[in-house]
Amino acid sequence: MTSVLTGVSDELDPRLLEHRRELTGYCYRMLGSSFDADDAVQETLVRAWKSFGSFEGRSSLRSWLYRIATNVCLDQLSGRQRRALPMDLSGSPWSPVEASLAAKRPADAWVEPVLDRAVLPEDGDPAERAVARESVRLAFVAALQHLPPRQRAVLLLRDVLRWHADEVAALLETTVASVNSALQRARATLAAMGGTPEERPLDTDHRELLDRYLDAFERYDIDAFVALLHEDATQHMPPFEMWLGSAADIGTWMLGPGSGCRNSRLLLTEANGSPAVAQWRPTDDGGHTPWALHVLEIEDGRIRHITSFLDLDNDLFARLGLPLTPDAAPAAG
């Protein structure tokens, strides 16, 4: 699809492209994958481009694009298994040993990360930005995957995008009563799973914590690193099924199976509405190669959870738009 869009991009009405970022955010929440979201938005824009002459302004351009994007996402989700995170699959943590790496699933089994700059508005009302940020947090996106696709669309359009019930009914070609019923069921499911987003501002203390986190990791001072974690901190590492359930186990892992991360280079960025760290691991020839994007959850001044998306196939950084070498890394963001 990328090649198709590239071929017509010069002909696209600029009014279509103005909506690309917000459409990407919507499709990401629907699909749980930034890469699938990119494909869905590209398909949306191509369909809109081909039909633009017959659009005739019967609804707002934004509403029309969301109708197309929703249909594209529903088509993509048809017959698919839901994406998850490792902690969703097992109720018990794993021991921090090499054998944990034996259990691995394909990329399409996992919720995938997204950089904030790809889906969040650059400016605008702070309250709206806060809602947008919370609605791409990993826990919320993972919880969304438990909803049937149409319920997912209703909840996102009503609770995240703040559409009126009649607008959602028109988009989905259904009734207001059906929309309200779907929304009630979706809210109940998320509440039962603890998936309701809550605002967690990044304050000055958090920034100081992140500086200490980067410093301890790059020096590979594991005692200092573990001291920044809650005692019951957790970490998981897609595409592996394993997850760790304490700061002590995380430290043991880093000094054991994860010891190849010593002398890594790091860059602070933002992903899924949270602080994130891009990591390049050292290579035998003295260079560095993309290794992981760590998405951090901070609570009460310490790290509560680390989701480490490993770049084992050497395409995660490229597809997210992260530099392939630390020396090419731009400013954080």
Side-chain angles (χ1 to χ4, degrees):
M1 182 55 60
T2 300
S3 60
V4 173
L5 185 59
T6 300
V8 302
S9 60
D10 291 340
E11 302 177 50
L12 286 174
D13 189 296
R15 289 175 292 175
L16 297 178
L17 297 175
E18 287 176 1
H19 297 276
R20 181 164 193 154
R21 183 181 300 211
E22 65 171 308
L23 289 171
T24 302
Y26 174 67
C27 293
Y28 172 71
R29 298 175 185 98
M30 283 289 292
L31 301 171
S33 163
S34 56
F35 311 133
D36 286 353
D38 285 341
D39 288 344
V41 172
Q42 289 167 1
E43 173 69 16
T44 296
L45 294 177
V46 168
R47 290 188 188 182
W49 172 70
K50 290 180 177 179
S51 304
F52 202 48
S54 59
F55 168 53
E56 297 177 349
R58 290 186 297 272
S59 63
S60 75
L61 176 60
R62 182 171 181 261
S63 297
W64 183 59
L65 289 172
Y66 270 96
R67 178 193 292 269
I68 298 173
T70 299
N71 289 331
V72 169
C73 288
L74 293 177
D75 287 345
Q76 284 200 19
L77 290 167
S78 178
R80 287 193 183 184
Q81 293 185 335
R82 72 175 179 89
R83 291 177 178 267
L85 290 170
M87 287 179 63
D88 296 334
L89 303 177
S90 171
S92 302
W94 295 48
S95 298
V97 294
E98 196 80 36
S100 302
L101 300 176
K104 179 182 174 184
R105 296 198 181 196
D108 61 6
W110 306 114
V111 170
E112 294 173 332
V114 68
L115 295 186
D116 286 6
R117 66 189 182 212
V119 294
L120 298 185
E122 292 182 308
D123 48 30
D125 181 80
E128 293 181 0
R129 277 186 54 83
V131 170
R133 185 174 64 247
E134 295 304 316
S135 68
V136 293
R137 286 190 182 275
L138 285 170
F140 181 65
V141 174
L144 285 173
Q145 308 312 302
H146 289 267
L147 300 177
R150 286 177 69 87
Q151 279 189 31
R152 201 179 307 174
V154 167
L155 183 129
L156 290 173
L157 291 166
R158 292 283 283 118
D159 284 358
V160 176
L161 298 174
R162 308 299 189 190
W163 285 35
H164 297 298
D166 58 341
E167 294 174 315
V168 178
L171 182 147
L172 293 175
E173 298 181 340
T174 187
T175 65
V176 170
S178 178
V179 165
N180 289 336
S181 176
L183 179 61
Q184 185 177 15
R185 294 195 302 273
R187 285 174 174 170
T189 298
L190 290 189
M193 297 177 56
T196 303
E198 298 178 358
E199 184 176 355
R200 304 174 194 177
L202 180 62
D203 59 23
T204 301
D205 291 337
H206 288 176
R207 297 189 186 280
E208 293 174 357
L209 172 67
L210 294 170
D211 288 340
R212 293 165 59 198
Y213 181 97
L214 294 178
D215 176 67
F217 198 128
E218 288 197 323
R219 291 188 296 107
Y220 224 68
D221 183 342
I222 301 306
D223 287 339
F225 182 88
V226 168
L228 303 176
L229 312 178
H230 284 277
E231 289 186 10
D232 59 350
T234 56
Q235 180 177 16
H236 49 199
M237 308 174 193
F240 298 108
E241 295 180 17
M242 55 85 63
W243 64 278
L244 306 173
S246 71
D249 279 355
I250 293 171
T252 299
W253 177 272
M254 292 184 72
L255 291 173
S259 59
C261 291
R262 190 185 299 272
N263 297 319
S264 289
R265 297 276 298 278
L266 307 176
L267 172 72
L268 183 63
T269 185
E270 295 174 338
N272 290 93
S274 302
V277 175
Q279 176 196 354
W280 294 265
R281 200 160 88 153
T283 57
D284 292 338
D285 61 4
H288 288 81
T289 190
W291 180 249
L293 179 70
H294 308 273
V295 181
L296 311 178
E297 291 289 345
I298 299 173
E299 183 179 306
D300 298 328
R302 290 190 179 185
I303 308 294
R304 169 64 67 190
H305 184 67
I306 306 170
T307 303
S308 301
F309 295 97
L310 305 183
D311 192 3
L312 301 184
D313 297 324
N314 296 317
D315 68 348
L316 177 67
F317 276 41
R319 296 178 74 180
L320 287 175
L322 289 168
L324 301 185
T325 66
D327 293 335

